[in-house]
Amino acid sequence: MSIPNAAKLVSAFRSRGDDTRGVSLESGTVLESKESHMVMTARRTAAARNDWRSLSPRAVGEPAADPVSVTVVIPAHDCQGELDLALAALAEQSHPKDLLDIVVVDDRSEPALVLPGDLPVPARVIRVEGGGHGSGHARDVGARAATGDVVLFLDADIIADRHHVEAHARWHELIDDAVVLGFRDFVDVKGVTPSQVRAAIADGGVARAVAGRATEPHMWIEQLLDKTDDLVQDREDLWRAVVGASVSTRRLFYQEMGGFPHFPRRGIVDTEFGYRCFTAGGVVIPERMAYSLHQGQRSFASRGNEIARLRAPLIANHIAHPRYRPSVRGRQWAVPYLHVIVPSGMADFVTTQRTVDDLLANDFDDLTVGIVGVADNPEWDLFVDYWQYDGRVRLLLDAPRTGFPSPTTMLVPVGARFGPEAVGRLVTRLRAWTHGLISVSVTGLESPVELWATRALSRSLRSSDGNLRDTARNLFGEVWSAGSDFGVGLDAGASDVGRSGKRR
């Protein structure tokens, strides 16, 4: 059974089955509002891998053939002065004002934050009183209230140059799943006023407002871009470049991948958001025309070691990557590296047991197995009796379309047997990232074992016109291998070896 057939069992993209991050608008109160009319548009294309250079956006300053509306979401806490400068910059954007609005999320500031009286852009303040805290929660509250085609997150200490919003928007005019990153220089803005910011932007650029002052680039971002050819080099960790100070996605894509997390720890919210955007098939695009000034020094620059130490336990659970996760045999994480889907259908218990137990007995154990059955299988109660207490097994009556948020998804037909090192060898092969799909043929089985990069599967599902495999081949590449090359067959597997080491 292939993914296209399994996908017929569901009608919508499923993100995390245990996701509790959804935020109702009741958690915020609208304090100020200037209504606007938004234009919704349809998308129509896709990019291969992370090759954003293959796309051809319009030049900044040219009229948009298919314009998008943008909601700017600004999380803010006790920062009226910084916010005033940020809003002054947004008042002078080149993006059409009838396609722009602003949501400021006041995270319990005292006194409450207010909007300037001369803001020519529709704006409102949502005050968060309870039910969470931190920038991730505030961003998510704002995003759930957004009405634009695109949600652009800006920190309250960001002073955006004139083309900042437009530069973000032009990529979203092309593709559904752009994750656009803005750039910033760090600078002391002491004494700079909102009127000076507006005048500088209107007169040629925001840099004029801080002329003569020392600026510092975001060095670690520049270093990562240099190592990855501006993120075009295909790697599984390109999401590390995502920083919430200036990042945008289409609103529907934001909802699809689950939005910003509500973690209380600093230093993980942006990274985990970028990880899920990328795993959901997002194209991470560094947009230097989306330039801005950051008001003051990076907090991570002064407290980096402390922040890294405090975030390590949480990030290990939610970002499935060896960089953040120690190799501990038998350890179960909130997000496993590999999500295996076994469509058992009406298969008998023993045949399914052999396949699933082979997977669980493998040397690669950072995985979860979803067994997808049907309610009228006469042996389904045996499945429940046997697996209901295993933390790495889920019994499902609906098939997930992908293994998201795990970075790898494997579809395994019932009857396939796996040697003790088979799964690890397959994962190692996929992690070469020369192909987004490895199809493994097993003599005697009608369907192959399919090992996908989840981002390849997600984007292919989003972009396919009906032939998923052809779409995946075009966007990420596919390679076929024989099961014998990896220790996959029909006759025996890892679970046949008992505790004594003898084959059962």
Side-chain angles (χ1 to χ4, degrees), residues 51 64 102 121 159 287 328-329 335 358 361 366 419 452:
D51 187 10
I102 301 168
V121 179
I159 306 175
E287 174 51 273
V328 181
R329 289 286 299 172
V335 177
D358 279 353
D366 188 2
W452 292 79

Side-chain angles (χ1 to χ4, degrees), residues 273-396:
F273 175 76
Y275 164 80
R276 275 185 295 109
C277 283
F278 189 69
T279 303
V283 183
V284 185
I285 302 171
E287 174 51 273
R288 293 187 182 275
M289 289 294 292
Y291 177 70
S292 65
L293 297 177
H294 180 283
Q295 303 178 47
Q297 186 186 32
R298 290 178 60 224
S299 60
F300 204 97
S302 59
R303 300 180 53 236
N305 291 337
E306 178 189 359
I307 292 173
R309 181 182 69 83
L310 293 175
R311 77 177 187 172
L314 193 60
I315 204 170
N317 265 291
H318 292 277
I319 295 184
H321 188 276
R323 178 185 181 92
Y324 302 106
R325 183 169 289 180
S327 298
V328 181
R329 289 286 299 172
R331 180 68 165 84
Q332 294 182 31
W333 307 97
V335 177
Y337 189 86
L338 172 63
H339 186 127
V340 185
I341 302 170
V342 181
S344 65
M346 293 293 290
D348 64 89
F349 167 71
V350 171
T351 303
T352 305
Q353 177 194 30
R354 288 171 178 159
T355 295
V356 173
D357 279 1
D358 279 353
L359 294 165
L360 298 174
N362 246 258
D363 62 334
F364 187 90
D365 60 359
D366 188 2
L367 57 80
T368 188
V369 181
I371 305 173
V372 185
V374 292
D376 55 354
N377 185 329
E379 295 193 341
W380 187 245
D381 61 328
L382 302 182
F383 288 59
V384 175
D385 290 344
Y386 188 69
W387 279 301
Q388 65 178 318
Y389 301 112
D390 193 313
R392 290 192 294 158
V393 177
R394 299 289 184 271
L395 297 174
L396 309 169

Side-chain angles (χ1 to χ4, degrees), residues 416-445:
R417 304 299 307 274
F418 291 79
E421 299 178 351
V423 175
R425 291 168 65 186
L426 281 165
V427 169
T428 298
R429 173 66 181 85
L430 183 68
R431 291 192 66 201
W433 303 123
T434 56
H435 300 84
L437 168 61
I438 300 174
S439 296
V440 180
S441 61
V442 180
T443 302
L445 290 179

Side-chain angles (χ1 to χ4, degrees), residues 159-162 185 187 192 196-197 199-213 215 291-293:
I159 306 175
D161 211 352
R162 176 171 175 76
D185 284 333
V187 63
V192 176
Q196 288 173 335
V197 167
I201 294 175
D203 192 35
V206 69
R208 294 180 180 235
V210 292
R213 306 190 188 199
T215 61
Y291 177 70
S292 65
L293 297 177

Side-chain angles (χ1 to χ4, degrees), residues 32-344:
E32 299 186 47
S33 179
K34 298 179 182 180
E35 297 301 326
S36 64
H37 179 261
M38 290 298 181
V39 177
M40 304 301 292
T41 57
R43 304 302 91 210
R44 58 188 174 279
T45 191
R49 296 180 176 269
N50 207 64
D51 187 10
W52 56 269
R53 290 199 186 110
S54 66
L55 303 171
S56 299
R58 62 178 174 83
V60 168
E62 289 185 356
D66 192 11
V68 294
S69 54
V70 179
T71 296
V72 178
V73 173
I74 303 176
H77 173 71
D78 287 344
C79 58
Q80 186 68 60
E82 292 176 337
L83 178 64
D84 288 344
L85 296 182
L87 293 174
L90 292 175
E92 297 296 331
Q93 292 296 301
S94 60
H95 193 73
K97 288 182 173 54
D98 62 338
L99 295 176
L100 178 64
D101 75 330
I102 301 168
V103 175
V104 175
V105 184
D106 183 356
D107 193 4
R108 286 163 287 205
S109 300
E110 292 298 340
L113 299 173
V114 296
L115 300 174
D118 60 346
L119 192 61
V121 179
R124 51 184 164 150
V125 176
I126 295 178
R127 183 171 172 85
V128 176
E129 297 289 0
H133 59 87
S135 62
H137 174 256
R139 289 178 185 137
D140 195 47
V141 168
R144 304 294 174 178
T147 56
D149 300 319
V150 173
V151 183
L152 167 56
F153 299 95
L154 290 181
D155 282 352
D157 53 11
I158 292 296
I159 306 175
D161 211 352
R162 176 171 175 76
H163 297 296
H164 196 100
V165 175
E166 181 188 356
H168 274 269
R170 64 180 183 153
W171 296 98
H172 300 293
E173 294 164 7
L174 292 177
I175 60 175
D176 289 331
D177 39 30
V179 182
V180 185
L181 310 180
F183 283 74
R184 67 216 59 86
D185 284 333
F186 296 84
V187 63
D188 180 4
V189 297
K190 184 177 181 180
V192 176
T193 67
S195 60
Q196 288 173 335
V197 167
R198 293 186 66 166
I201 294 175
D203 192 35
V206 69
R208 294 180 180 235
V210 292
R213 306 190 188 199
T215 61
E216 178 186 359
H218 208 156
M219 284 305 301
W220 77 265
I221 293 289
E222 296 293 347
Q223 291 167 359
L224 178 60
L225 295 177
D226 184 61
K227 291 177 181 178
T228 60
D229 188 21
D230 281 347
L231 305 183
V232 170
Q233 177 185 332
D234 202 44
R235 293 173 24 163
E236 65 176 321
D237 64 346
L238 297 180
W239 39 264
R240 290 175 52 213
V242 175
V243 175
S246 175
V247 60
S248 66
T249 71
R250 289 197 49 96
R251 183 162 53 92
L252 294 180
F253 181 73
Y254 179 89
Q255 295 168 354
E256 180 181 287
M257 52 72 63
F260 265 98
H262 296 186
F263 300 139
R265 294 291 185 193
R266 296 191 65 183
I268 179 177
V269 171
D270 296 0
T271 306
E272 197 273 346
F273 175 76
Y275 164 80
R276 275 185 295 109
C277 283
F278 189 69
T279 303
V283 183
V284 185
I285 302 171
E287 174 51 273
R288 293 187 182 275
M289 289 294 292
Y291 177 70
S292 65
L293 297 177
H294 180 283
Q295 303 178 47
Q297 186 186 32
R298 290 178 60 224
S299 60
F300 204 97
S302 59
R303 300 180 53 236
N305 291 337
E306 178 189 359
I307 292 173
R309 181 182 69 83
L310 293 175
R311 77 177 187 172
L314 193 60
I315 204 170
N317 265 291
H318 292 277
I319 295 184
H321 188 276
R323 178 185 181 92
Y324 302 106
R325 183 169 289 180
S327 298
V328 181
R329 289 286 299 172
R331 180 68 165 84
Q332 294 182 31
W333 307 97
V335 177
Y337 189 86
L338 172 63
H339 186 127
V340 185
I341 302 170
V342 181
S344 65

